[in-house]
Amino acid sequence: IQSTLQRDRDIDWIEENGRCLDNVYPKRSSLPQAGQGGFASRPLEKGEVVIPVPTLVQVTNREMLNVYKQGEAAPYSKQLLINYCFGHEDSSMVLCPATNANLINHCSMRMNEQVGECNPAKGPNAILRWATEFDPETSDWLKQSITTIDKRIKKGRRGLSFEVVALRNIAADEEIFLGEQILY
């Protein structure tokens, strides 16, 4: 398998092509029972990429994540991994982030009252979108069938990428929340 990842990059290449991954740090979420959340380590401006989100695991058949009891034909659960991945109900593909973007919790505008610091009246402060800035191959990947994507991944290609983008200015130490519309 040929990998697109190379370990012998010099400082000039990193400065030109590298992306900051330290805009988000983990801390206990303000949402009850959410566990960890993602918090801004510095002020982030509206429209700024909060964090790039290349996907490490791309499951082209989500049924692979089903959990079965021995001898039973029907699944009784899904692998916990699916809680930290993105997918669509009409697709068999599931995409799992390779960065600490999986710390970022969801803030629903449908909530009727404030829950933790996720105030629905104020709304979410970030959105997940297909990568534009850091991954020039995204537009090509989006034109491919699941079969082609699966073949490329098996040959060691990186795959689809997202990025989390600030919907408004985000203060340092503010918890980052994704909105309901995940991709645009």
Side-chain angles (χ1 to χ4, degrees):
I1 294 178
Q2 181 182 3
S3 175
T4 57
L5 301 176
Q6 296 181 8
R7 298 176 199 267
D8 57 349
R9 304 289 191 185
D10 62 21
I11 296 297
D12 292 334
W13 185 93
I14 293 171
E15 287 176 352
E16 184 177 331
N17 299 289
R19 297 293 178 255
C20 181
L21 295 177
D22 72 344
N23 285 342
V24 178
Y25 71 91
K27 187 171 107 176
R28 179 162 266 322
S29 177
S30 63
L31 298 176
Q33 300 177 350
Q36 295 289 314
F39 290 78
S41 59
R42 62 184 56 81
L44 302 166
E45 294 184 17
K46 178 181 180 177
E48 184 176 348
V49 173
V50 174
I51 189 166
V53 189
T55 55
L56 179 64
V57 176
Q58 297 187 33
V59 179
T60 54
N61 181 357
R62 74 173 60 217
E63 289 183 11
M64 292 174 52
L65 298 173
N66 288 343
V67 177
Y68 298 87
K69 290 184 180 177
Q70 188 171 357
E72 293 188 16
Y76 73 92
S77 184
K78 295 274 186 195
Q79 296 284 339
L80 181 60
L81 173 69
I82 203 162
N83 290 346
Y84 300 97
C85 300
F86 300 99
H88 188 277
E89 63 187 27
D90 295 334
S91 174
S92 62
M93 182 176 275
V94 178
L95 304 167
C96 305
T99 63
N100 60 352
N102 60 359
L103 292 168
I104 299 172
N105 290 309
H106 176 258
C107 178
S108 176
M109 295 292 286
R110 295 176 290 178
M111 293 179 187
N112 294 326
E113 57 189 58
Q114 182 170 336
V115 178
E117 294 299 315
C118 174
N119 182 343
K122 194 173 181 181
N125 55 12
I127 193 163
L128 186 69
R129 71 178 183 198
W130 294 114
T132 57
E133 282 189 21
F134 83 96
D135 190 348
E137 292 186 348
T138 297
S139 59
D140 179 54
W141 278 97
L142 292 172
K143 297 173 190 170
Q144 305 305 316
S145 68
I146 289 180
T147 303
T148 301
I149 290 171
D150 194 38
K151 287 178 184 176
R152 285 180 168 188
I153 292 166
K154 287 177 180 172
K155 289 181 180 177
R157 297 290 302 278
R158 181 184 65 242
L160 289 160
S161 298
F162 302 118
E163 55 197 14
V164 175
V165 179
L167 286 175
R168 59 173 171 76
N169 290 345
I170 300 172
D173 300 315
E174 182 179 347
E175 189 165 6
I176 301 166
F177 291 107
L178 289 176
E180 292 175 351
Q181 180 188 357
I182 298 183
L183 296 174
Y184 64 90

